[in-house]
Amino acid sequence: VRLSPPKYNWSCSAKLLFFFSFFLQGTNLASTATHLSASMGSLSQTAVDSEEDEESQREELIRRHFVTRISELNAQLQEADSRSANFYAECRALQKHLNHSSESRNKLTAELQHSSETITQLQDQLTTTSDSYEKQLSAMSDHLCELNDKILRQA
């Protein structure tokens, strides 16, 4: 039969006490054995009580450990929930900002396209107007030269 560590320690302590008292006191072996048996009975009862106390203490330590661990995990869960809510709110704000920026970009792109078309039309008008003025000036210059030649011939 193998004893549990606390019982084994009590048993070894009792044997050691027995041999120590036997050699020191010089009493007979029978009275010492009787005394030792009585001591062992009380020691084994103490060992059982001690073992029960140890078991209840161990259970209490385990219970406290798990209660503490559950509290820590709950705190971590609440922190994670809080962080996720903050990230979600930040993502929603960024999404709104992105949508607004996209709308603004599209609007500005349309305005740029319209402005480019307007500039192209104005450049075409300027070119046409310049060509027309040049033709008119050339025609006027030719007409003035003809009138000048006519005046010179008449004079």
Side-chain angles (χ1 to χ4, degrees):
V1 174
R2 187 162 198 153
L3 297 175
S4 66
K7 287 182 181 179
Y8 180 76
N9 286 341
W10 283 109
S11 174
C12 288
S13 297
K15 287 178 186 176
L16 183 62
L17 184 64
F18 168 73
F19 288 119
F20 185 69
S21 66
F22 178 74
F23 285 114
L24 286 180
Q25 293 176 358
T27 60
N28 69 16
L29 191 57
S31 66
T32 305
T34 307
H35 180 63
L36 182 59
S37 295
S39 295
M40 284 295 285
S42 66
L43 285 177
S44 64
Q45 180 61 34
T46 306
V48 168
D49 291 343
S50 171
E51 189 174 296
E52 289 175 0
D53 287 344
E54 283 181 17
E55 188 174 319
S56 65
Q57 287 175 353
R58 185 176 34 230
E59 287 176 2
E60 180 63 24
L61 284 173
I62 291 170
R63 187 188 70 75
R64 275 193 242 148
H65 169 73
F66 282 115
V67 166
T68 303
R69 185 69 177 138
I70 288 170
S71 297
E72 290 172 358
L73 290 174
N74 279 334
Q76 289 176 356
L77 179 63
Q78 288 175 352
E79 182 181 347
D81 284 346
S82 175
R83 281 181 164 181
S84 68
N86 287 337
F87 286 142
Y88 179 75
E90 186 176 346
C91 286
R92 294 288 296 160
L94 289 172
Q95 181 66 38
K96 286 180 181 180
H97 183 68
L98 179 64
N99 290 341
H100 178 70
S101 296
S102 293
E103 290 172 3
S104 295
R105 187 192 73 215
N106 291 340
K107 184 189 282 185
L108 291 173
T109 302
E111 286 179 19
L112 180 63
Q113 182 67 28
H114 179 69
S115 297
S116 295
E117 290 171 2
T118 303
I119 288 171
T120 303
Q121 288 174 354
L122 290 173
Q123 284 176 342
D124 288 345
Q125 284 179 351
L126 179 64
T127 303
T128 304
T129 305
S130 294
D131 288 345
S132 295
Y133 284 155
E134 277 185 34
K135 286 178 184 175
Q136 285 178 357
L137 276 174
S138 178
M140 290 286 277
S141 294
D142 288 342
H143 182 65
L144 279 174
C145 284
E146 286 178 19
L147 284 178
N148 198 15
D149 283 340
K150 210 181 209 182
I151 291 177
L152 284 176
R153 277 189 225 143
Q154 288 178 356

